[in-house]
């Protein structure tokens, strides 16, 4: 039994308007009220435009809010960008960094991911650092080196690793939004690589307490099989999180939400 409590995080990506977000939050609250089991730890990362709506609608529910991205600088002439400081002031408790869509659609490199993770920690919010291999890298047997490199670079700018709160998400690129879920041995192996690497760079204690989520086509149908896999401390959920009831069912597969 893990000492880490599981965390379930909704990544809406560029979906749900502020009005739709309000409806989603009401449905989630209704589901939480009906739960007959302990409320799981939940997080939601809406688009920035819906952040304040979600903050107000989920006030007092215990669900934490976060953002999907931030800039590495605290302020400046970066039109269209938002800093970690701004997110902290808007009540964000976490921010995704290095999501594969940011890396592959927007060209973010490992160094930028590291600088953003450090900016989040400086601003007092938790970076949820996403790493994962592409399909061709897996086929070429490069998964361990890809994950190790991504994690090394993501933590490179964190000055006090031992006291930083952070979460990792293992998200194989080929499993995101494709309906293809990594199998148990692939997930177990990847999480063990990441945990081993954490021991090496951040020490035993940080490695023991840092949550490593799995992300990639998680649904209420497969969550029950994925949750007990060794080293999995919850999920980062994209598509299935757009419906509040399905999101809650991922966190509580046995509950009738
Ligand atoms: C994600 O966006 O992080 C993700 C895992 O998406 P999906 O659940 O849709 O695969």
């Amino acid at each position: 039994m893990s000492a880490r409590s599981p965390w379930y995080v909704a990544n809406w990506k560029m979906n749900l308007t502020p009005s739709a977000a309000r409806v989603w939050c009401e449905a989630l609250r209704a589901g939480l009220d009906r739960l007959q089991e302990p409320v799981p730890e939940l997080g939601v990362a809406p688009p920035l435009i819906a952040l304040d709506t979600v903050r107000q609608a989920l006030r007092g529910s215990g669900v934490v809010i976060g953002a999907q991205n931030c800039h590495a600088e605290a302020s400046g002439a970066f039109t269209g960008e938002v800093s970690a400081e701004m997110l902290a002031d808007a009540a964000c408790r976490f921010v995704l960094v290095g999501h594969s869509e940011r890396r592959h659609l927007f060209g973010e490199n490992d160094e930028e991911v590291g600088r953003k993770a450090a900016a989040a920690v400086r601003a007092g919010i938790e970076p949820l650092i996403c790493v994962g291999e592409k399909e061709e890298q897996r086929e070429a047997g490069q998964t361990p080196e890809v994950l190790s490199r991504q994690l090394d670079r993501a933590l490179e700018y964190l000055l006090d690793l031992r006291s930083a709160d952070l979460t990792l998400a293992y998200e194989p690129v080929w499993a995101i939004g494709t309906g293809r879920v990594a199998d148990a041995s692939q997930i177990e192996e990847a999480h063990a690589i990441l945990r081993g690497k954490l021991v090496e760079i951040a020490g035993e204690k940080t490695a023991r307490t840092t949550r490593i989520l799995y992300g990639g086509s998680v649904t209420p149908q497969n969550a029950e099989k994925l949750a007990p896999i060794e080293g999995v401390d919850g999920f980062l959920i994209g598509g299935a999180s757009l419906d509040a009831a399905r999101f809650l069912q991922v966190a509580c597969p046995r509950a009738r939400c």
Side-chain angles (χ1 to χ4, degrees):
M1 183 75 181
S2 167
R4 302 170 296 273
S5 55
W7 192 27
Y8 306 94
V9 179
N11 172 20
W12 291 356
K13 315 191 188 202
M14 196 175 73
N15 293 293
L16 303 188
T17 60
S19 323
R22 187 173 303 107
V23 174
W24 187 98
C25 293
E26 282 160 10
L28 183 72
R29 291 195 84 121
L32 290 173
D33 286 347
R34 283 196 299 273
L35 265 192
Q36 306 204 334
E37 57 186 90
V39 174
E41 276 186 65
L42 302 176
V44 54
L48 289 177
I49 190 82
L51 209 52
D52 201 52
T53 303
V54 173
R55 181 185 64 79
Q56 290 186 42
L58 293 180
R59 186 177 281 150
S61 68
V63 180
V64 295
I65 61 165
Q68 300 172 16
N69 185 29
C70 68
H71 195 273
E73 300 295 331
S75 63
F78 302 105
T79 301
E81 293 289 324
V82 168
S83 72
E85 275 76 3
M86 293 168 183
L87 296 175
D89 192 62
C92 284
R93 298 266 295 277
F94 69 95
V95 59
L96 306 189
V97 294
H99 188 279
S100 85
E101 286 147 21
R102 298 295 322 166
R103 291 178 190 263
H104 303 302
L105 300 177
F106 297 96
E108 259 177 39
N109 60 30
D110 288 338
E111 187 191 334
E112 280 175 280
V113 172
R115 292 181 59 235
K116 288 179 179 199
V121 171
R122 273 197 310 275
I125 58 181
E126 181 167 341
L128 200 177
I129 301 168
C130 305
V131 296
E133 80 288 359
K134 293 186 191 169
E135 183 154 37
E136 58 269 28
Q137 293 170 323
R138 172 161 286 279
E139 278 166 3
Q142 295 166 348
T143 301
E145 73 185 73
V146 169
L147 297 181
S148 299
R149 188 202 68 232
Q150 288 179 339
L151 188 55
D152 252 335
R153 303 302 304 278
L155 302 183
E156 194 175 339
Y157 296 91
L158 289 181
L159 296 180
D160 185 7
L161 259 175
R162 280 162 210 274
S163 63
D165 274 336
L166 51 104
T167 294
L168 307 183
Y170 168 57
E171 299 208 298
V173 178
W174 47 271
I176 298 181
T178 59
R180 291 173 59 198
V181 185
D183 68 34
S185 62
Q186 292 169 327
I187 296 174
E188 195 172 326
E189 187 195 15
H191 283 231
I193 290 167
L194 291 171
R195 189 127 358 243
K197 192 76 196 163
L198 269 179
V199 173
E200 212 179 279
I201 51 190
E204 288 278 353
K205 183 168 168 285
T206 302
R208 210 175 34 249
T209 53
T210 298
R211 292 191 270 215
I212 307 180
L213 315 184
Y214 167 76
S217 297
V218 175
T219 64
Q221 288 70 38
N222 57 31
E224 209 168 357
K225 281 217 174 87
L226 294 169
I229 296 172
E230 180 72 28
V232 169
D233 303 315
F235 303 122
L236 180 55
I237 307 138
S241 75
L242 296 179
D243 178 296
R246 293 187 80 215
F247 173 54
L248 198 48
Q249 274 162 10
V250 167
C252 317
R254 286 164 197 279
R256 288 175 48 248
C257 302

